[in-house]
Amino acid sequence: MTKYGSFPGARPRRLRTTPAMRRMVAETRLHPADLILPAFVREGIGDPVEIGAMPGVFQHTRDSLKKAAVEALEAGVAGIMLFGVPEESKKDAVGTAGTDPDGILQVALRDVRAEVGDELIVMSDLCLDETTDHGHCGVLDSAGRVDNDATLERYAEMAQVQADAGAHVVGPSGMMDGQIGVIRDALDQVGHEDVSILAYTVKYSSAFFGPFREAVGSSLKGDRKTYQQDPANTRESMRELALDLEEGADMVMVKPAGPYLDILARVSDAVDVPVAAYQISGEYAMVEAAAQRGWIDRDQAIMESLTGIKRAGANMILTYWATEVARRL
C-alpha cells in the first residue's frame, strides 16, 4: 500500500487497543454509589412473589425486604426506594392505607430503618396510586377527575407519616401542581427539616410503565394523561423543573430514563442539585425478555443502558438491577 505522508494523521483507534487502555481513557464510570434499588413490599403474603412481567423482581414480605436491603447495603448500593402494596380490602377512595401509621409502607420503612440505620438511604414513594381503589395518584372529585388541591392535603399527611416511620427521603411521584412546596411545609411543621425531597420532576405518561402496574397491584382504569407529562413535550419539563426547584426540591428526577436521555441531559445541564433517573419496569422487562430469547447479551445490555443514563447526566440511577450491578462493579 502506498503511504501518503503520515495519512491518516489522527488514529483514535490507538486508545481502543486493549481492555486496559479502554478502561484508562473511559469518560463515564459507573459506581455502586450511583445506584438506588426500587423494592416492593406486599401485605398479607407468606413468601416473596415473583412479578410475572419482571423476571427476578419480587413483591417482598417484610422479612425478605429486610434481607434485600442488607444485600443492597453490602453491595455498596446508595439507597433503597420502597413501594407498599396493601391488601385489596384496605384500598379506598382516598388511599387511607397511605397515611395509616400501620399501613404496609410505613411498617416497611420502620423495618428497614431498624435493619440498616443510616448506612443505607431509605426512600419512600409518596403517592396514592397503590392505596386507592380507583388506582389514580390522587383524590377524585364528583366528576371522577383527579382533584389537585384535595390530593395535596393527602400528600402532606403522607409525608409526615413516612418521615415519622423513618424515611430519609420522600419521593413525591403523583405530578400534582404544587406538591413539592406543600410537602416541604408539612415536613417542616412537624420537625422533619432534615428529611429530603426527591422530586419526580419529569414523569412522562409512558407505555414503559406497564409491568409496574402488576408490581404494585394497581387498580387503575383509564390513564394518567391529565397529570403525567406528554412524551411530545420538552419545554413543559423545563417548566416543571423550575417550579420544583422554586418550591424546595433537594433532588430532581427524570422518569423513564432510557427513552428520555435528551431530557435528562437538558435537566442535568440546567441545575446545581443532584439529578436522578429511574430505569423503569418496561426498560427492565425488555432487556430481560430479549435476553431470555437469546437475542441480546444480557449483562452487556444492562451495563450499556446504565452507562448511557450516567453519561446523559444522572448522578443517581434507580434500577432493579442495582444490587446485581453493584456486585459486578
Side-chain angles (χ1 to χ4, degrees), residues 102-115:
D102 294 320
I104 184 59
L105 180 54
Q106 287 70 254
V107 169
L109 285 166
R110 291 195 292 271
D111 286 344
V112 173
R113 274 301 301 272
E115 200 74 19

Side-chain angles (χ1 to χ4, degrees), residues 78-189:
I80 186 169
M81 172 70 81
L82 302 186
F83 296 83
V85 184
E87 295 177 321
E88 283 294 320
S89 63
K90 294 184 179 178
K91 294 182 180 181
D92 61 22
V94 296
T96 300
T99 50
D100 181 353
D102 294 320
I104 184 59
L105 180 54
Q106 287 70 254
V107 169
L109 285 166
R110 291 195 292 271
D111 286 344
V112 173
R113 274 301 301 272
E115 200 74 19
V116 302
D118 292 328
E119 294 184 72
L120 183 71
I121 300 300
V122 179
M123 305 177 170
S124 56
D125 177 59
L126 200 164
C127 195
L128 287 170
D129 59 323
E130 296 98 330
T131 58
T132 53
D133 54 13
H134 47 73
H136 278 287
C137 297
V139 178
L140 303 185
D141 64 17
S142 58
R145 299 167 299 193
V146 175
D147 186 324
N148 191 93
D149 295 0
T151 299
L152 293 182
E153 294 181 22
R154 298 291 294 134
Y155 286 2
E157 295 176 58
M158 291 183 76
Q160 290 173 343
V161 298
Q162 290 179 2
D164 286 343
H168 294 108
V169 178
V170 295
S173 60
M175 297 302 292
M176 295 297 119
D177 294 339
Q179 64 183 14
I180 303 303
V182 165
I183 289 168
R184 183 72 271 160
D185 286 346
L187 291 169
D188 292 350
Q189 286 174 15

